[in-house]
Amino acid sequence: MHLARGEPARARRRHGAELEAALLDAAWDELTERGYAALTFDAVARRAGTSRPVVNRRWATKDVLVREAIARANDRFTLVDPDTGSLRDDTIALLEQLNEAFVAFAAVMTARLATFFEETGTSPAELRESLVSGRWPLIESVVNRAVERGEIDASKVTPRIVSLPYDLLRHEALMNVEPMSPAAVREIVDTIFLPLVV
């Protein structure tokens, strides 16, 4: 069969996990571009190349769709354990991996989700916890390896100190909505974090 000039090709029909992933990606794109208040099932369906009933069959409410879209966007970003043999270099490597991701999520959480938090009665802190909890074991393991090597003083290590470099990175992302410079990442590690643990 030949298409007439200008006639659009028929999209391949998607099913199951593939269709759900396309819908969640479309919801994330709508969220980042338009914000929660302006996001609609119709817009998500259009962006995903399907119909609104397809969206409605999977998600009863917009907030549930958005939660799952955020979770999928978060799951696509994975941390790689640098394991350089040095706490300084491991921490810098993890901060550099998180830099772009924090900015993307900071933009959504500050400018795009105000109505979501109002409607659901939740807070940015609760959403942040759901996003970072899966990465915390790797961050802790970097510090634990440094303790085992005798590189840092275990008596000075507390959960707040371990999270400090990442909290500072997140704060910068929220305030500036742009990646931190490599020099600033190293400054956090060299002048704030390491002096607290050695």
Side-chain angles (χ1 to χ4, degrees):
M1 173 181 171
H2 296 286
L3 295 174
R5 182 172 297 178
E7 183 181 346
R10 181 173 296 175
R12 181 176 62 83
R13 184 172 287 243
R14 295 158 299 179
H15 299 281
E18 182 186 8
L19 176 58
E20 184 165 304
L23 291 167
L24 291 173
D25 290 345
W28 172 257
D29 290 340
E30 284 290 315
L31 181 65
T32 56
E33 290 179 19
R34 304 176 189 278
Y36 179 81
L39 184 147
T40 66
F41 280 12
D42 285 327
V44 171
R46 277 195 306 274
R47 188 181 281 267
T50 188
S51 63
R52 175 174 176 151
V54 172
V55 184
N56 285 112
R57 281 197 295 269
R58 287 165 172 77
W59 297 280
T61 59
K62 181 168 72 171
D63 66 292
V64 175
L65 169 61
V66 165
R67 284 179 194 272
E68 292 190 21
I70 293 170
R72 173 169 164 78
N74 182 57
D75 288 344
R76 285 183 304 195
F77 173 73
T78 57
L79 279 181
V80 177
D81 187 349
D83 199 4
T84 64
S86 157
L87 176 62
R88 177 184 185 272
D89 292 341
D90 281 355
T91 305
I92 288 171
L94 289 178
L95 289 170
E96 287 175 342
Q97 290 181 61
L98 288 165
N99 209 356
E100 294 284 346
F102 274 12
V103 171
F105 283 101
V108 171
M109 290 176 70
T110 55
R112 303 299 191 188
L113 284 176
T115 307
F116 170 84
F117 294 127
E118 290 174 12
E119 285 186 10
T120 60
T122 57
S123 69
E126 291 173 87
L127 179 57
R128 178 183 65 83
E129 177 60 27
S130 71
L131 297 176
V132 302
S133 59
R135 299 187 174 98
W136 184 246
L138 174 55
I139 291 168
E140 282 189 314
S141 74
V142 164
V143 175
N144 290 337
R145 287 197 304 256
V147 170
E148 291 168 6
R149 289 191 300 264
E151 188 179 355
I152 60 175
D153 183 348
S155 68
K156 295 182 178 180
V157 175
T158 68
R160 189 177 297 277
I161 288 174
V162 172
S163 69
L164 180 60
Y166 308 95
D167 292 341
L168 291 172
L169 181 69
R170 186 175 57 252
H171 174 77
E172 290 278 335
L174 287 168
M175 293 299 101
N176 300 322
V177 196
E178 63 180 27
M180 184 180 286
S181 71
V185 167
R186 283 157 177 74
E187 182 181 11
I188 284 177
V189 175
D190 291 336
T191 68
I192 300 174
F193 176 55
L194 290 180
L196 291 173
V197 294
V198 295

